[in-house]
Structure formats: structure tokens, C-alpha cells
Amino acid sequence: MDLLEINLQLFSVIGTVAFAVSGAVVAMEEDFDILGVFVLALVTAFGGGVVRNLLIGIPVTTLWEQSFYLKTALIAAALVFIVPSSWIRRWKTWESLFDAIGLAAFSIQGAIYATNMNHPISAVVVAAVMTGIGGGIIRDVLAGRKPLVLQDEIYAVWGMMAGLFIGLGWFQGSYHLLALFVIIVFLRMLSVFFKWRLPRRSLRLK
């Protein structure tokens, strides 16, 4: 097993668990039944990867070859469903951190996939962003919510930054990628804490 494959597996596992938990919690907040919990967990964990695959030319059917990650997501969702509510409420305190972890892990994973296929830097950035935010967008739409990634504190920009840095070759190798992972998580949490937002303009009459 080469270093690239180890990196992909590491960030895939981290992102899968973080986003599966996120999807399961949102489903329970919206009073979904157990099937809805599993569906939203899987969509959140794999939705961004499916969109990325369509964009950079990886067969979508490769999803069915990822039985380990599918099982990982299902186990994570099952654990969320059966743990006491008090634990989940406690987890809500750390929700932004888990979300930041999923964003960083999947953005890096998407960028690695694109660079490994020798795509131009624009495709690397798109692959990073869509892998990082795609699942969350689909989750929110299915849950009847406005996608938080497009209106909340700065979110997608950090995924773009991860893709740009990897596409430029500034972060290569396990230690560099782990450092980038920490940087993205840290910046995302700073944007939550200080409520950094991109400029916006509303047309609503006040």
C-alpha cells in the first residue's frame, strides 16, 4: 500500500464518520424515523463524493466498491440512534468541530483524487469544495433546511483553500497533509467563534 492510498484512506475514514454523525443528528432533529436517519447519514457522508466523481470522471459505481466506508457510516449512524439523548445534546456542543473535521478531511481527499488524475488546478479546487460541502448541501435540502454552508459563517472558502494549496503542490506527503488538515479545522473553528462572514447583500425590504 503506497503513501497516497494511506492518505486517501485516512481522510476518507475521518470524513465518513464525521459527516455520517452529522447527517444522523440532523435527521433526528427533524423527527425522521430510523430509515431516514440512515438515509441522511449516508447521503451526508457520500453525497459530496458522488458529485465529485461525476465532475472529475471517476465512475459513480465505484461507490459500491467502498463497502468498508459504507459499513463505517452505518455503524456511526446506528450508534447515534441508540445513544442517550443527553449524549447527543452534549455532542451538539461540539457539532461545529465535527463539521469542520468532515470539511477538512473530505476537501483534502477530493483534492488528492483530482491531482492524482492530473487534472488542472481549477478541477482540483472544485473537487475539494464539492467533496467537502456537497453532502451537507444535499442533507440540508432533504431535511427541508436552507443549506447552512451557503449562508453560515465562512465554510466553503476553507475547502477551496485546501484544494488550491494541494493543487499548487504546497502540501504533499502525509505530514504536510495532516498539517493542512489541522489548519483547515482551525480556520473553520475561528470563523465560527468570531462569526466571520463573506459580504452579503439582501434585497428584502426592511
Side-chain angles (χ1 to χ4, degrees):
M1 184 180 296
D2 60 21
L3 190 59
L4 174 63
E5 188 174 351
I6 293 173
N7 289 331
L8 285 174
Q9 288 187 359
L10 172 64
F11 290 111
S12 294
V13 170
I14 294 172
T16 297
V17 172
F19 275 171
V21 171
S22 172
V25 171
V26 168
M28 294 171 66
E29 288 177 339
E30 299 296 331
D31 296 325
F32 285 20
D33 60 20
I34 187 171
L35 178 60
V37 170
F38 283 117
V39 168
L40 219 58
L42 291 174
V43 164
T44 310
F46 296 100
V50 170
V51 174
R52 175 205 64 216
N53 289 352
L54 286 170
L55 291 174
I56 66 174
I58 299 176
V60 178
T61 53
T62 56
L63 173 65
W64 309 120
E65 301 171 5
Q66 300 177 343
S67 60
F68 171 74
Y69 301 112
L70 288 168
K71 292 175 182 176
T72 299
L74 290 173
I75 291 171
L79 289 175
V80 171
F81 189 80
I82 64 175
V83 299
S85 298
S86 60
W87 290 20
I88 297 177
R89 282 191 289 270
R90 192 174 303 155
W91 176 86
K92 288 290 291 179
T93 306
W94 300 92
E95 180 179 14
S96 295
L97 177 60
F98 272 77
D99 206 46
I101 290 171
L103 169 70
F106 272 171
S107 295
I108 292 172
Q109 181 219 53
I112 292 174
Y113 269 114
T115 53
N116 192 42
M117 297 179 67
N118 297 317
H119 283 302
I121 191 169
S122 57
V124 174
V125 172
V126 170
V129 173
M130 291 313 303
T131 312
I133 74 172
I137 291 177
I138 299 171
R139 174 201 65 203
D140 290 340
V141 170
L142 290 178
R145 300 179 173 187
K146 292 182 179 179
L148 293 178
V149 302
L150 301 179
Q151 62 177 347
D152 205 357
E153 297 88 1
I154 297 175
Y155 190 93
V157 170
W158 307 130
M160 295 172 62
M161 189 178 77
L164 180 64
F165 287 174
I166 292 175
L168 291 172
W170 292 358
F171 288 83
Q172 297 179 354
S174 294
Y175 293 114
H176 287 170
L177 292 174
L178 285 173
L180 180 60
F181 171 80
V182 172
I183 291 170
I184 298 300
V185 172
F186 180 69
L187 289 173
R188 167 57 185 161
M189 294 310 297
L190 281 181
S191 67
V192 171
F193 185 78
F194 291 107
K195 299 188 181 303
W196 294 342
R197 296 178 183 274
L198 293 174
R200 63 177 66 190
R201 182 185 179 191
S202 175
L203 296 180
R204 293 181 181 177
L205 297 177
K206 299 183 179 180

